[in-house]
Amino acid sequence: MDSNFSQSSPPRHNSGPPNKKSRGDYGSYDEQGGYDYVGNQNLQDFLERKDEKLPPNHILLLTVLNAKYPINVEVIYKVCTIVGKIKRIVCFERNTVVQAMVEFDTLENASKARTSLHGCDIYNNCCTMKVEYSKMENLRVRENGPMSWDFTQGKMEREERRPVILNEPEMGGGVAMGENSRGGDFMGGMRSMDMMGSMGDGRGQFGPGMGERMGGGERGGWERSCVVVVHNLSQGEVNCDRLFNLVCQYGNVSKIFFMKTKPGCAMVEMADHDGAQRAVANLQGAVLFGNKVQLDISKKHTRITNAPLEFDLPDGSSSVKDYFGNNRLNRFNTPEMAKKNRILAPTKVVHFYGIPRVSDQEIEDLFSEYVAPQPNKVKWVESKRGDGGSAGAGRDDDRSGVGLAYFDSVEEATEALVLVNHRELEGKTIKLCFSPATY
């Protein structure tokens, strides 16, 4: 490969034993009232959706399994707004199971959220979401509060900020909670946020008040965490470059390092907090080399400021790599470049570009060379760049080769992307990303 790229727990939401389990018996309550998994089969049963016969809807029903931490509007907003603009949220309990209704601005955004959020954990190893289309045609909010909010009612007044001496006490989970298990400090966070102005393009553009409570960074300051902690990486298979190949689709990457004391765990510093949120939202629960990865925004670091311990990974590569200023491989260097990136969770189709037009066999051989899963079909599409160069330019200057590689599963596509992204073909660097294309 190129040389330049070679807590303390919050109060629990549920209390007491269940009276009745919703939609089947998926687990059991622990002695503190938390809903625990019984096994993978029960989790799979829980995640089996019942909305296949329902028409697509801009309102989604979120059911939360194992809700050990409080689930309220602020939490659901943070989870869903990365996917698209939200109009209304209503949280409630039904037979001791936590659920939420979320109304998106468009059917497209709702469909994206249904695909990308289903099966994800809101917090580490708990609060697993089942995401389905709702039967409701309209979502009504009676009043704005911790468990319901109408985001179409205009801007909220921003409270005057006073100098802060101490950080708020760390309560865990990224949400500031008071004595009330549903969020005693919730209203302060909502009032200090410019509701309509903060939603932006739906990629995590939070206002300062809500962002500080959600970002997991320095709570007394304005900067939110740009650091993503990635757990359960396959040892011997994932190194800094391969992890970069995956997360670079969601924002510029500044630095990656693996932890010697926690095998299979790495920290990724993104260029900004929004990139970190996009990575967490889209890669949560992705399967890579047979392991289901878990991602969290760091609660301790806004940036990686101290030099991490460097050692050799099982493949012989360094455990630390700096990508800051690598404008050749980072894809969000300017607003214009950033707009061209499709923000998607892993799919079965990989989009490739940046190379000359070659034969299908040469594309397949490239995946074989790096022992990556083979695409079952290669399809070339017309490049928006035209011939990829000036008149009379030879093949060496041609980067008009744009196409799609189809795989049998999302897992195969993800592994192939990690192994082949940014490799050399005909003297050019091939770039890969997930595609929304279908078979």
Side-chain angles (χ1 to χ4, degrees):
M1 191 174 284
D2 193 298
S3 60
N4 292 325
F5 178 78
S6 297
Q7 107 189 267
S8 61
S9 299
R12 302 194 178 232
H13 188 68
N14 298 320
S15 60
N19 295 319
K20 181 180 179 183
K21 295 181 178 64
S22 175
R23 301 192 182 188
D25 185 356
Y26 308 118
S28 62
Y29 278 73
D30 62 22
E31 60 186 6
Q32 293 179 301
Y35 198 45
D36 286 338
Y37 300 141
V38 169
N40 290 333
Q41 185 58 51
N42 287 323
L43 178 58
Q44 291 174 6
D45 292 343
F46 166 76
L47 291 176
E48 182 178 350
R49 293 191 276 216
K50 312 293 183 182
D51 65 342
E52 301 301 335
K53 296 182 180 180
L54 295 178
N57 193 350
H58 63 291
I59 301 176
L60 299 181
L61 171 64
L62 277 64
T63 305
V64 183
L65 175 69
N66 195 21
K68 293 183 178 180
Y69 301 154
I71 302 298
N72 55 27
V73 168
E74 193 170 1
V75 174
I76 298 298
Y77 182 91
K78 176 188 176 183
V79 169
C80 295
T81 195
I82 303 171
V83 180
K85 190 175 178 179
I86 295 172
K87 297 178 72 174
R88 297 171 184 88
I89 296 175
V90 176
C91 303
F92 55 95
E93 285 188 15
R94 177 171 293 169
N95 299 325
T96 73
V97 174
V98 180
Q99 294 184 301
M101 307 288 290
V102 181
E103 180 179 352
F104 285 85
D105 62 331
T106 65
L107 179 59
E108 179 183 6
N109 283 336
S111 298
K112 287 180 182 178
R114 180 181 179 272
T115 300
S116 62
L117 298 180
H118 180 70
C120 292
D121 290 350
I122 298 177
Y123 300 115
N124 191 17
N125 292 323
C126 67
C127 303
T128 305
M129 293 182 293
K130 175 165 68 173
V131 185
E132 305 169 282
Y133 290 124
S134 170
K135 298 178 182 179
M136 297 183 64
E137 297 181 358
N138 298 291
L139 186 58
R140 228 178 124 192
V141 175
R142 296 183 179 179
E143 62 178 0
N144 287 345
M147 304 305 287
S148 62
W149 202 281
D150 188 336
F151 295 91
T152 67
Q153 295 301 311
K155 298 181 179 181
M156 305 295 292
E157 294 183 1
R158 196 183 295 273
E159 290 182 341
E160 180 182 357
R161 285 191 165 269
R162 298 174 293 279
V164 176
I165 305 300
L166 298 176
N167 292 341
E168 295 175 19
E170 185 72 56
M171 297 302 292
V175 182
M177 305 302 297
E179 293 181 1
N180 183 346
S181 65
R182 294 191 175 189
D185 194 34
F186 173 84
M187 296 306 292
M190 298 300 282
R191 292 194 188 99
S192 65
M193 171 186 169
D194 181 341
M195 282 299 191
M196 300 305 291
S198 68
M199 284 191 275
D201 63 357
R203 296 180 183 177
Q205 305 290 334
F206 294 108
M210 181 176 279
E212 286 166 4
R213 288 173 172 80
M214 292 181 172
E218 298 298 329
R219 292 177 178 255
W222 287 86
E223 187 176 10
R224 296 170 290 170
S225 178
C226 303
V227 179
V228 177
V229 185
V230 189
H231 307 269
N232 201 34
L233 293 168
S234 179
Q235 299 180 56
E237 298 288 354
V238 184
N239 57 27
C240 293
D241 285 342
R242 290 179 177 180
L243 187 53
F244 175 91
N245 286 344
L246 186 61
V247 298
C248 70
Q249 300 175 82
Y250 307 105
N252 280 359
V253 180
S254 298
K255 184 182 296 183
I256 295 177
F257 79 88
F258 283 73
M259 302 182 194
K260 189 172 182 63
T261 57
K262 295 182 180 180
C265 184
M267 295 186 76
V268 180
E269 181 185 318
M270 306 296 287
D272 55 44
H273 176 69
D274 294 338
Q277 283 192 311
R278 289 192 292 265
V280 171
N282 289 280
L283 295 176
Q284 192 70 268
V287 177
L288 182 59
F289 298 108
N291 287 16
K292 186 175 180 180
V293 298
Q294 173 76 37
L295 296 88
D296 299 293
I297 301 289
S298 175
K299 301 179 180 71
K300 297 181 179 179
H301 308 281
T302 56
R303 298 276 181 186
I304 300 173
T305 54
N306 297 325
L309 176 65
E310 187 171 1
F311 60 96
D312 288 341
L313 295 174
D315 67 350
S317 65
S318 174
S319 63
V320 181
K321 192 153 186 179
D322 195 337
Y323 299 91
F324 181 77
N326 193 331
N327 295 333
R328 187 171 68 85
L329 299 179
N330 273 316
R331 307 178 182 185
F332 292 74
N333 299 319
T334 66
E336 291 73 25
M337 288 180 63
K339 289 179 181 177
K340 295 179 181 179
N341 292 286
R342 290 194 179 106
I343 308 300
L344 293 172
T347 67
K348 292 197 291 186
V349 185
V350 171
H351 174 75
F352 62 84
Y353 61 98
I355 56 172
R357 178 70 181 258
V358 297
S359 68
D360 292 2
Q361 187 61 51
E362 287 177 278
I363 295 294
E364 293 172 3
D365 289 346
L366 180 66
F367 286 93
S368 295
E369 180 181 354
Y370 295 103
V371 199
Q374 291 288 294
N376 57 50
K377 183 175 74 169
V378 174
K379 177 182 178 181
W380 294 90
V381 298
E382 184 179 351
S383 172
K384 295 181 180 180
R385 298 180 55 176
D387 61 5
S390 59
R395 176 169 173 166
D396 288 342
D397 296 322
D398 183 14
R399 290 193 176 119
S400 62
V402 178
L404 301 171
Y406 294 79
F407 293 86
D408 292 331
S409 68
V410 175
E411 290 79 8
E412 285 192 0
T414 304
E415 186 175 323
L417 181 146
V418 164
L419 292 171
V420 178
N421 200 5
H422 302 122
R423 298 291 187 175
E424 296 294 316
L425 180 66
E426 296 283 332
K428 304 298 179 185
T429 301
I430 189 171
K431 293 189 176 183
L432 307 179
C433 60
F434 295 114
S435 170
T438 56
Y439 278 77

